[in-house]
Amino acid sequence: MKIKEMQEVLDARFLYGEELADLDVQFVFSADMMSDVLAYGSKCSVLITGLCNPQVVRTAEMLDIVCIIFVRGKMPDENMLALAVGKGIAVLATDHYMFTTCGMLYEHGLRGGA
């Protein structure tokens, strides 16, 4: 599934990375604890989280994650967004809860990365 298809399915907003919208992704991982992402998310290309701090972007960078989706209407601050821009990581935001977000993407063919 392409990032732009995920954006459409989730009625999400691109905060950064529309130029990455055609990237194809296969696996997602959802967590609010970055230690879980580091321990179990090795195959993921998209991270779904409600945690809004710079550690999210740093964790994504370490695992070569290409897209972060913030759930529950969470919005990264300017510093976080600048960090994601610098690392070339697409950032989306949706108002859906994490469970709903995961279910919607699963229903459209994406699978977990752990």
Side-chain angles (χ1 to χ4, degrees):
M1 175 180 275
K2 295 186 184 304
I3 293 175
K4 68 180 172 189
E5 293 172 304
M6 294 171 36
Q7 182 257 335
E8 292 168 3
V9 165
L10 299 172
D11 193 29
R13 301 168 299 287
F14 266 103
L15 304 179
Y16 167 73
E18 286 190 63
E19 67 277 5
L20 303 172
D22 286 325
L23 280 179
D24 217 5
V25 297
Q26 296 181 358
F27 299 107
V28 300
F29 191 84
S30 63
D32 284 343
M33 293 183 63
M34 293 303 103
S35 59
D36 283 352
V37 178
L38 288 170
Y40 304 110
S42 61
K43 287 186 182 178
C44 68
S45 47
V46 176
L47 173 59
I48 300 170
T49 188
L51 182 64
C52 270
N53 68 39
Q55 200 61 29
V56 172
V57 179
R58 291 187 180 101
T59 301
E61 176 191 19
M62 289 174 65
L63 295 177
D64 295 325
I65 290 169
V66 298
C67 180
I68 300 168
I69 301 174
F70 290 100
V71 296
R72 301 189 303 267
K74 299 284 183 113
M75 298 294 281
D77 65 21
E78 291 178 21
N79 293 330
M80 276 185 64
L81 205 49
L83 189 57
V85 169
K87 305 300 181 190
I89 299 170
V91 179
L92 283 75
T94 183
D95 291 329
H96 294 291
Y97 289 101
M98 189 181 299
F99 181 81
T100 306
T101 299
C102 294
M104 293 168 77
L105 294 176
Y106 185 88
E107 189 175 60
H108 283 83
L110 280 176
R111 297 298 178 252

